[in-house]
Amino acid sequence: MLKKTKKASVILLSLVLLCVVVLSGCAGNENGNGADSNAVDSNGSSATDGKKDDAPEATKSLEPIKVTALQPYWGALPDMDGSLFKYIEKSMNVEFETEFVFGPNFMDKVNVALASGNLPHMLYIFDGKQPSIVTAIRAGAFWELDGKLEKYPNLMAGKDKIRDENIKVDGKTYQIYIPEAISRQGMNMRQDWLDNLGLQKPTTIDELYNVLRAFTQDDPDRNGKNDTIGLAQRLHAGVPVGFPILLAKFGAPNGYEVKDNKFIPAFTTEAYRETMRFFKKLYDEGIMNQDFSYLQRTQGEELIQNGKAGVQISNVDEKLLWNPLLDSNPNASIVSLSYLEGPTGNHLFTSKGYWVTIAFPKSTVKTEEELDRLLAALDLMAAPEQKEFFMLGIEGEHYKKDNGNISIVKNVEAELVSLRMFAPDAFEPIAPPGTPKHIEDMYDVLSENETSNNLVNNPAASIISKTAIELGGELDKMIQDATVKYIMGEVNDQQFDEVIEKWKSSGGVKMLEEFEAEYNKK
Amino acid sequence: MRKSGLSDRSFDTINVLLLIVISLICILPFLQIVAGSFATQQELMEKKFVLIPEVYSLDAYRFIFSDITIPKSMMISVFITVCGTIINLVFTSITAFALARRGLRGRRFIMFLIVFTLLFDGGMIPAYLVVKELGLINTYWAVMIPNAISAFNLILMRNFFMSLPEELFESAKIDGCNDLKTFIQIVIPLSMASMATFMLFYAVNHWNNFMMPFLYLNTPDMWPVQIWLRQIIIMATADFGDFGASIEIPSQSLRMATIVVATLPILLVYPFIQKHFVKGVMIGSVKG
């Protein structure tokens, strides 16, 4: 009996041991990783220790500060041991512990961080006006930056009235933004097709229609087959990608129009109806793709890359979009434009004008001195002399300069995309040297837009309304669906009016009232 | 007789045809992905649907394996799957066995607590807070420990243990076994089939897990293959809005090749466990 229980305990022991071995296997691996990060830490601190020994007090201000950040990235994950990242750390005199999160998942992670209070020194935010962020701001989670930025000339240089207004919460600034084009609206089209048909680049809506029609019916690629369409479209934010652009050209307001302190939604205007009719005509005549309502982004883009469609109306600077076409068809060439005269002139809608924002949580950045050090470090990166770095990389490694002539050694543009988030400087659309002609064209259109005196801003962009947060998405969807159905002929004018009435009664009127109240406070 | 033979036969034919159609519907998308991963980008763009590529190309695979990232993350996935599944099986089976024994006091109450978790879930943020407070963030424990026991699998396993005849335990006791020895020497060998099944359930879960590594593992060096897979796929489908301008979308064949690479290893486990499968799941629900 006794023996047997002993045997059982031997088995029990060995089972436990097995578990321990297996688990410690896991632990070992973990420690391996942990050790790596520790090694970085200890290296850092030992280096600073060394400095301390040499000159205890004087160099104290030269020690790199440790900064944690939560940052999104797109495309390739930035290499934190690579020379580009090291350059930024060195220039800012900062030791970053950045957590990079893939763009589309990023806000999930931010919300978890906010809810758990596990915040970094620098919190990057997409769309700084979304409910969770506004709630956090109102609860006092972030430093207010008004009156603090003035000390930093480079940070101030990037500031701009429309953008500043767009990022304010309750009239105050809590976030630094990394700016992007104020309006990316425009279009690209096939220059070779225009040439084949003896047409000119359109300057009015009617001319645009003629080009689109000819691209569909007059065999622009000269292959003897009727296999092309004018316009490639897909849905973005619920409506065809080109819709807001033509909406601007037809003279509709950007979201809302303020008349006598009253907000008038764009979709109740005649210009909106005109735009829908224009798209309906394109749809009915087969000038745009019939399957636009369910195409995914890549599918919509393939129409252009296959040489099936000749015009893309959307963001003008989609640089990589045309590459597959230009690679496979040496005759293809494209032209970009944003100028198009509508019934009331050439208008452009502004977007929010910034890319991402940075907020500084009070729970991690404890004192104003710490905040100042962070801002000073960012100011260094926003300096004009850094522009070349963010465009081309490091001199000698990624590009060479010869009497002012720049030659590219290694193109690191893709890697620099996410690193530009370290530079809250002014937005200047300048094409890097060595850029192909058609991409230079796109940059030209962007800078043309930047200084256009026909920019139409959205008066509701800087207003936070409770109803808009709660119901805004649903209300928008109602109109978007009706718009798409109108274009496809499933909803007529009268039914569209009914949808507007429904919009008003399901919270729309309340939202407008809140907008008006906030707007008139200013 | 003849008539019934005919109707029998037509029934069979229809049945077989129907099953062939259904299995094709299941298999074709996967075949298309495998074929597409070997096709050239040009062909995929011209024809929407490729089952037999005209030109075979290994470019996509070459690209995936040109970099250490994917192979390394696959090793991490294997590691998480193996360790995690062992933890799952050990904890689930000992809990299930204890709860299956009639002698355990408060058994009903414990069962109630377990069933309760099936119906009500705390959600992402409370779970994150618990994991964070336990200091598990950025360790592999965070993806293995929180879901160590699946309540559903526990109930299935408990049912299976309860179906074992009580006499078995009595005779084991007479022969001098204590509970642990009974469990190891008698119960485990008897339940190999269902163990294999649960092993597969758990292993597939670990392999496909995306959300937990995404939330709890902050260092890219620690990411399993599913996170990378999702990134490559999502880049093609998501609208980046304003960021799209400078981001190259991975080619279609590359996306397909990544799906194949990330799915194949766990798919290869199936044939070895499949024979236990039906037996394993059924055994618990049918008494006697």
Side-chain angles (χ1 to χ4, degrees):
Chain A
M1 236 353 227
L2 203 71
K3 248 186 186 170
K4 273 187 180 161
T5 40
K6 253 188 188 162
K7 207 174 171 190
S9 28
V10 169
I11 293 169
L12 168 68
L13 251 176
S14 47
L15 188 78
V16 169
L17 272 177
L18 182 77
C19 284
V20 168
V21 168
V22 170
L23 295 184
S24 63
C26 317
N29 203 309
E30 231 168 66
N31 286 343
N33 276 314
D36 278 349
S37 54
N38 282 340
V40 172
D41 284 356
S42 59
N43 278 345
S45 56
S46 68
T48 50
D49 282 347
K51 267 185 203 159
K52 258 183 199 164
D53 289 343
D54 292 339
E57 286 301 319
T59 53
K60 215 169 184 182
S61 60
L62 294 176
E63 273 172 34
I65 46 169
K66 270 189 194 166
V67 173
T68 54
L70 185 59
Q71 248 173 291
Y73 77 90
W74 299 267
L77 183 73
D79 180 8
M80 288 178 70
D81 297 320
S83 55
L84 295 169
F85 198 84
K86 288 273 174 259
Y87 175 87
I88 291 175
E89 283 189 316
K90 218 179 125 218
S91 313
M92 290 171 81
N93 198 22
V94 159
E95 227 175 77
F96 271 110
E97 268 173 48
T98 288
E99 190 189 325
F100 282 107
V101 182
F102 189 49
N105 307 123
F106 182 68
M107 281 316 285
D108 281 343
K109 196 94 179 188
V110 171
N111 288 334
V112 166
L114 275 174
S116 67
N118 206 6
L119 291 166
H121 293 105
M122 280 162 58
L123 182 70
Y124 280 79
I125 295 164
F126 264 152
D127 185 5
K129 287 293 187 67
Q130 54 181 284
S132 58
I133 303 299
V134 171
T135 312
I137 286 174
R138 287 187 171 155
F142 302 120
W143 284 98
E144 196 198 311
L145 300 173
D146 289 308
K148 295 204 172 62
L149 294 174
E150 278 73 5
K151 270 183 271 174
Y152 305 102
N154 299 327
L155 295 183
M156 287 306 284
K159 293 181 79 60
D160 167 278
K161 203 162 163 273
I162 300 176
R163 296 179 171 105
D164 282 356
E165 206 52 47
N166 284 349
I167 194 59
K168 276 182 185 165
V169 173
D170 301 331
K172 287 178 185 156
T173 314
Y174 296 88
Q175 299 165 60
I176 298 186
Y177 52 79
I178 318 294
E180 63 158 18
I182 196 71
S183 174
R184 301 171 71 208
Q185 293 198 331
M187 55 195 83
N188 303 315
M189 61 185 69
R190 291 284 293 270
Q191 177 71 54
D192 55 326
W193 286 13
L194 288 174
D195 294 343
N196 282 349
L197 299 170
L199 290 167
Q200 293 294 317
K201 181 162 112 159
T203 55
T204 65
I205 291 177
D206 290 336
E207 282 176 34
L208 175 70
Y209 172 76
N210 281 337
V211 167
L212 292 173
R213 193 204 49 76
F215 277 8
T216 311
Q217 292 164 5
D218 300 347
D219 190 23
D221 55 354
R222 292 277 176 264
N223 68 351
K225 279 184 255 170
N226 188 15
D227 59 352
T228 54
I229 56 167
L231 185 64
Q233 288 289 287
R234 65 191 150 89
L235 292 191
H236 177 62
V239 292
V241 281
F243 193 79
I245 294 155
L246 292 182
L247 206 54
K249 303 299 177 200
F250 274 101
N254 185 358
Y256 302 90
E257 185 181 16
V258 187
K259 246 188 204 161
D260 308 328
N261 293 332
K262 288 263 173 229
F263 272 64
I264 300 160
F267 53 82
T268 58
T269 60
E270 185 52 30
Y272 195 93
R273 223 41 89 88
E274 283 293 321
T275 318
M276 285 202 297
R277 282 189 204 117
F278 184 76
F279 269 88
K280 183 170 161 49
K281 194 166 153 199
L282 299 181
Y283 180 82
D284 290 345
E285 293 175 13
I287 291 173
M288 66 188 256
N289 49 317
Q290 305 290 301
D291 50 3
F292 74 98
S293 65
Y294 56 86
L295 280 196
Q296 282 191 337
R297 179 181 169 203
T298 42
Q299 292 171 312
E301 292 181 347
E302 273 166 17
L303 287 171
I304 282 161
Q305 294 165 347
N306 289 341
K308 292 274 168 278
V311 182
Q312 155 93 349
I313 304 183
S314 70
N315 293 323
V316 69
D317 58 335
E318 302 205 326
K319 300 177 239 174
L320 300 160
L321 167 71
W322 296 90
N323 285 353
L325 175 77
L326 298 172
D327 287 346
S328 63
N329 184 352
N331 297 324
S333 61
I334 61 160
V335 62
S336 308
L337 60 125
S338 77
Y339 184 90
L340 208 62
E341 196 79 26
T344 56
N346 168 45
H347 296 292
L348 286 163
F349 287 166
T350 61
S351 63
K352 53 186 177 151
Y354 56 84
W355 199 35
V356 283
T357 57
I358 315 172
F360 306 93
K362 281 186 184 159
S363 58
T364 354
V365 183
K366 294 246 163 51
T367 62
E368 245 169 87
E369 287 83 71
E370 278 184 66
L371 180 66
D372 277 339
R373 287 184 82 176
L374 279 172
L375 291 175
L378 283 168
D379 189 59
L380 287 172
M381 233 43 228
E385 57 266 28
Q386 303 289 4
K387 288 226 185 305
E388 217 161 64
F389 166 76
F390 283 111
M391 211 185 279
L392 298 167
I394 297 165
E395 191 179 348
E397 192 181 340
H398 302 121
Y399 68 98
K400 282 204 177 83
K401 245 188 194 170
D402 245 350
N403 298 331
N405 288 331
I406 287 170
S407 58
I408 309 283
V409 178
K410 188 175 173 235
N411 189 347
V412 281
E413 216 194 332
E415 282 171 64
L416 285 170
V417 168
S418 302
L419 295 180
R420 284 195 189 123
M421 283 182 297
F422 287 106
D425 57 354
F427 176 77
E428 286 167 48
I430 304 165
T435 315
K437 174 79 181 64
H438 72 277
I439 294 177
E440 260 179 43
D441 248 31
M442 294 176 183
Y443 277 100
D444 287 348
V445 173
L446 278 190
S447 54
E448 196 184 301
N449 286 0
E450 197 73 14
T451 53
S452 165
N453 44 17
N454 289 312
L455 291 171
V456 183
N457 200 17
N458 181 351
S462 56
I463 295 175
I464 292 151
S465 118
K466 196 165 156 277
T467 313
I469 290 171
E470 283 166 4
L471 295 172
E474 246 172 83
L475 290 171
D476 287 347
K477 198 163 183 331
M478 219 181 260
I479 299 299
Q480 288 159 1
D481 284 352
T483 304
V484 170
K485 284 188 177 151
Y486 188 98
I487 292 166
M488 294 172 78
E490 290 167 26
V491 163
N492 58 27
D493 279 292
Q494 194 201 333
Q495 284 163 318
F496 195 81
D497 288 335
E498 283 164 17
V499 174
I500 294 176
E501 286 310 312
K502 204 178 148 214
W503 183 89
K504 284 181 178 159
S505 62
S506 350
V509 170
K510 206 173 150 209
M511 190 167 83
L512 293 180
E513 281 165 3
E514 286 174 9
F515 281 158
E516 283 152 19
E518 278 292 315
Y519 186 82
N520 294 328
K521 255 194 229 165
K522 285 185 202 163
Chain B
M1 271 308 274
R2 228 178 142 188
K3 221 179 175 183
S4 75
L6 184 72
S7 69
D8 261 3
R9 241 178 297 152
S10 56
F11 176 74
D12 279 352
T13 329
I14 292 170
N15 236 351
V16 167
L17 281 178
L18 207 66
L19 287 174
I20 288 175
V21 168
I22 292 172
S23 47
L24 276 183
I25 291 173
C26 296
I27 292 170
L28 271 181
F30 196 74
L31 280 184
Q32 195 219 346
I33 285 175
V34 175
S37 71
F38 288 106
T40 55
Q41 181 61 17
Q42 206 62 37
E43 194 176 343
L44 280 174
M45 228 157 88
E46 276 159 21
K47 299 188 259 172
K48 289 273 164 233
F49 189 81
V50 177
L51 269 190
I52 301 159
E54 276 165 18
V55 186
Y56 283 89
S57 142
L58 284 173
D59 284 350
Y61 290 95
R62 236 173 255 137
F63 184 83
I64 290 176
F65 291 105
S66 68
D67 186 57
I68 186 90
T69 313
I70 300 277
K72 190 181 157 202
S73 64
M74 285 184 76
M75 291 317 292
I76 292 171
S77 279
V78 169
F79 167 75
I80 291 177
T81 306
V82 171
C83 288
T85 309
I86 291 171
I87 292 174
N88 288 144
L89 285 178
V90 170
F91 283 89
T92 312
S93 61
I94 54 180
T95 316
F97 182 65
L99 288 171
R101 305 290 288 129
R102 284 173 181 80
L104 184 73
R105 242 177 279 162
R107 188 164 75 120
R108 273 164 183 275
F109 180 66
I110 298 171
M111 268 321 280
F112 168 76
L113 289 182
I114 288 167
V115 174
F116 192 80
T117 65
L118 271 181
L119 306 175
F120 300 97
D121 180 13
M124 183 169 83
I125 288 166
Y128 182 87
L129 287 174
V130 170
V131 172
K132 186 194 150 211
E133 291 305 318
L134 290 172
L136 297 178
I137 297 286
N138 227 7
T139 68
Y140 287 120
W141 294 117
V143 290
M144 299 193 283
I145 296 292
N147 285 350
I149 298 176
S150 136
F152 184 72
N153 287 352
L154 178 78
I155 290 166
L156 284 183
M157 209 185 262
R158 172 178 170 266
N159 283 349
F160 166 70
F161 287 148
M162 281 171 75
S163 71
L164 297 173
E166 194 59 32
E167 291 81 11
L168 201 65
F169 299 121
E170 276 167 16
S171 56
K173 207 169 191 179
I174 290 163
D175 284 348
C177 280
N178 60 9
D179 282 340
L180 190 71
K181 201 170 173 190
T182 317
F183 177 64
I184 290 163
Q185 291 200 323
I186 294 170
V187 177
I188 295 284
L190 277 174
S191 59
M192 281 325 264
S194 66
M195 284 293 186
T197 314
F198 290 117
M199 190 185 99
L200 189 67
F201 281 165
Y202 279 128
V204 171
N205 255 335
H206 278 295
W207 186 269
N208 291 339
N209 198 351
F210 162 76
M211 211 54 202
M212 287 171 76
F214 166 67
L215 284 177
Y216 303 141
L217 303 179
N218 296 335
T219 323
D221 282 349
M222 294 173 76
W223 284 347
V225 71
Q226 299 300 340
I227 293 193
W228 296 106
L229 170 68
R230 194 176 136 108
Q231 292 197 1
I232 290 173
I233 306 296
I234 226 171
M235 266 161 81
T237 48
D239 254 312
F240 284 84
D242 292 349
F243 316 105
S246 327
I247 291 155
E248 197 141 18
I249 292 171
S251 74
Q252 213 170 347
S253 54
L254 180 61
R255 274 176 262 153
M256 290 176 167
T258 321
I259 297 177
V260 173
V261 166
T263 326
L264 207 61
I266 199 73
L267 218 58
L268 288 178
V269 181
Y270 267 86
F272 298 102
I273 301 182
Q274 202 246 359
K275 60 180 173 185
H276 302 294
F277 211 73
V278 179
K279 210 165 109 197
V281 183
M282 293 299 290
I283 222 161
S285 53
V286 184
K287 285 218 169 191

